[in-house]
Amino acid sequence: MVDITNHANPATGQSSSALTGTIRVPGDKSISHRSLMLGGLAAGTTRVTGLLEGDDVLATGRAMQALGALVRKDADTWIVEGTGNGCLLEASSPLDFGNAGTGCRLMMGLAGTYDMETAFTGDTSLSRRPMGRVLDPLRRMGVQVTSAEGDRLPVKLHGPRTANPVTYRVPVPSAQVKSAILLAGLNTPGITTVIEPVMTRDHTEKMLTGFGAELDIELDEDGARVIRLQGQGNLHGRDISVPGDPSSAAFPLVAALIVPGSDITIENVLMNPARTGVILTLQEMGGDIEILNWRDAGGEDVADLHVRASTLKGVTVPADRAPSMIDEYPVLAVAASFAEGETLMTGLEELRVKESDRLSAVARGLASNGVDCSEGEAYLRVHGKPDGKGLGGATVATHLDHRIAMSFLVMGFAAEKPVTIDDAAMIATSFPEFMDLMTGIGAEISINDADNRN
Ligand code: S3P
């Protein structure tokens, strides 16, 4: 077993022979966070199977406990006893979200409107990320905010005696912002309305309805989604089976496409259309991805993906597809590095404010490993080398970003020379099984553990 959980370790992805086997990736991160939050708020018991046990989600579990929910694990099932809507308790110490933007921002909405003080902290990466996008609408709802300069963490929130329902048009395509306002609306009298001009992942809307909230969605004359939530309703615990995370599946998927001779199946992957942009794009590039056993699993679509090594060609990825594949651009850029011709990815401005500035981290990592690429304010252009000749050989700075770490290890599997990442530790935030799962299908990864070097 490769231990990536306890300390910062460089690791190297190396030229691998055909990847083969049938695997399952861990549970979807977005659904896992929301399961613990809504389960912790709803009256009664919520049972969750398939929960992602990554550091990000575990931080959300601890935060819900600090706010009064009971969270425990029994065999494979997480059991959450909720407080009842409107009944969270004041946390006795700051809630620490580590690296997790989703946990932190959604919880600001969930707890922020309560007439109590809640403090939020996080790691160096999270403390650099913009929180104003969530704090501004919360201020309009009557929440007092104390924060570091530029609305960064650490943040303290104190809600009013009675929160004010707002109608808020989200200025950036962000499921985190939309969700934070809807969750704040749960503790607010009347109807909270979120207008979303560009659709983003809709797990919050689906799950709120599943827990019994009164929520309706319609399109306005401009095609924007208008989401109305009736506040202060009752939520009831339920059973949830979390499907595999398509954002995690993207790593073995791209690896199998670019390592010659590969043939793998990834079972039980979430196929929500707001999440599958990367599958569509890789298919357009010529990727042999068969979608099998499409089925419903508790309100979300899932399927098995049969993936075979393919000759890829460059494509232009339309900007309006970005919300449905926002976390997958780093690994798509790696696929593009092995495609014939040029791939142009546009509409990438949100990549600048992820766990790292992902646009710059990807462009630098590719360039240092011999890929012909150029970066604009909101685009990335990659000119690929299908045989991987001359690619690799450098160490990539991961900037506390799990997806940069995994993407460049994947690059190493198909590049002529090995690709090293400066730190594999953050992989545990979203995909703790990554090393074992990838080496299990034949990928060559070596851990350059500082403790083992002499
Ligand atoms: C997420 C929304 C996205 C995504 C993140 C998970 C969510 O962030 O990048 O990994 O679960 O709502 P933004 O809302 O900032 O785009």
Side-chain angles (χ1 to χ4, degrees):
M1 280 276 263
V2 171
D3 175 15
I4 57 166
T5 52
N6 294 328
H7 40 249
N9 289 330
T12 302
Q14 283 150 353
S15 169
S16 306
S17 40
L19 307 179
T20 53
T22 297
I23 52 174
R24 280 184 175 228
V25 293
D28 186 69
K29 182 151 73 74
S30 296
I31 294 179
S32 294
H33 278 300
R34 287 158 173 84
S35 299
L36 294 180
M37 286 183 200
L38 291 177
L41 187 67
T45 306
T46 290
R47 288 185 185 77
V48 190
T49 50
L51 187 87
L52 165 64
E53 296 178 2
D55 293 346
D56 280 11
V57 173
L58 298 179
T60 289
R62 282 193 296 274
M64 287 312 297
Q65 280 179 315
L67 293 166
L70 300 177
V71 181
R72 69 191 164 86
K73 194 176 176 192
D74 185 8
D76 288 344
T77 305
W78 285 82
I79 299 168
V80 188
E81 309 282 351
T83 59
N85 187 22
C87 304
L88 293 178
L89 301 175
E90 183 159 355
S92 55
S93 52
L95 307 179
D96 182 354
F97 287 94
N99 193 250
T102 306
C104 184
R105 293 196 179 116
L106 268 59
M107 199 70 83
M108 284 177 169
L110 194 76
T113 57
Y114 281 70
D115 182 9
M116 63 187 191
E117 186 166 281
T118 314
F120 298 78
T121 62
D123 72 3
T124 317
S125 155
L126 190 55
S127 304
R128 277 196 288 257
R129 298 180 67 184
M131 294 297 155
R133 49 182 57 200
V134 168
L135 299 177
D136 285 341
L138 288 179
R139 286 182 176 106
R140 292 198 202 179
M141 298 178 90
V143 179
Q144 286 173 30
V145 178
T146 318
S147 67
E149 207 186 308
D151 278 344
R152 314 275 151 169
L153 293 184
V155 165
K156 268 187 200 155
L157 301 182
H158 199 128
R161 213 162 271 162
T162 308
N164 178 36
V166 290
T167 294
Y168 192 76
R169 192 179 178 89
V170 285
V172 282
S174 166
Q176 292 179 0
V177 175
K178 165 179 67 179
S179 303
I181 304 164
L182 290 173
L183 296 178
L186 287 173
N187 187 46
T188 302
I191 292 176
T192 294
T193 306
V194 178
I195 303 171
E196 186 182 48
V198 178
M199 182 173 174
T200 60
R201 67 191 69 195
D202 58 354
H203 309 303
T204 301
E205 296 92 302
K206 284 188 164 175
M207 292 179 72
L208 278 171
T209 305
F211 274 92
E214 263 183 65
L215 176 137
D216 76 75
I217 304 170
E218 61 179 20
L219 295 184
D220 70 11
E221 59 280 8
D222 301 322
R225 290 174 85 232
V226 180
I227 308 157
R228 293 190 189 86
L229 173 82
Q230 175 68 55
Q232 299 185 321
N234 291 327
L235 303 181
H236 312 285
R238 56 184 285 239
D239 291 354
I240 298 172
S241 159
V242 184
D245 194 330
S247 300
S248 298
F251 299 105
L253 200 168
V254 167
L257 291 175
I258 62 177
V259 174
S262 298
D263 185 336
I264 67 164
T265 300
I266 314 170
E267 293 181 334
N268 197 40
V269 179
L270 173 69
M271 293 300 286
N272 181 315
R275 300 288 302 282
T276 49
V278 74
I279 297 176
L280 176 63
T281 304
L282 288 165
Q283 285 175 326
E284 287 173 359
M285 293 172 80
D288 182 351
I289 306 167
E290 246 184 304
I291 301 173
L292 305 170
N293 303 323
W294 196 299
R295 55 204 185 266
D296 174 84
E300 289 281 11
D301 285 358
V302 300
D304 305 331
L305 306 179
H306 181 203
V307 190
R308 277 174 285 216
S310 307
T311 307
L312 300 179
K313 62 176 191 318
V315 294
T316 294
V317 189
D320 63 5
R321 200 178 288 165
S324 69
M325 52 181 293
I326 194 66
D327 291 334
E328 285 69 75
Y329 284 99
V331 78
L332 180 70
V334 167
S337 303
F338 296 90
E340 182 72 51
E342 190 175 277
T343 297
L344 176 63
M345 295 159 251
T346 57
L348 305 189
E349 49 278 3
E350 279 295 303
L351 289 197
R352 301 248 177 233
V353 290
K354 294 296 177 189
E355 284 81 331
S356 67
D357 175 345
R358 280 191 180 150
L359 193 38
S360 135
V362 169
R364 284 177 196 200
L366 292 181
S368 64
N369 281 289
V371 179
D372 176 5
C373 65
S374 57
E375 167 198 357
E377 193 40 43
Y379 74 80
L380 181 65
R381 194 189 297 274
V382 176
H383 202 100
K385 275 199 184 152
D387 59 5
K389 280 263 159 18
L391 300 188
T395 297
V396 174
T398 52
H399 303 286
L400 295 175
D401 190 329
H402 53 131
R403 299 199 201 280
I404 299 298
M406 290 184 276
S407 298
F408 281 97
L409 287 177
V410 168
M411 181 179 190
F413 306 152
E416 185 186 11
K417 293 171 269 180
V419 177
T420 297
I421 56 168
D422 64 352
D423 185 9
M426 300 318 286
I427 294 174
T429 62
S430 71
F431 198 164
E433 304 87 339
F434 177 82
M435 297 291 192
D436 289 334
L437 198 137
M438 294 307 301
T439 52
I441 56 174
E444 298 285 342
I445 303 176
S446 61
I447 303 291
N448 321 34
D449 189 338
D451 298 346
N452 293 334
R453 268 187 260 139
N454 45 34

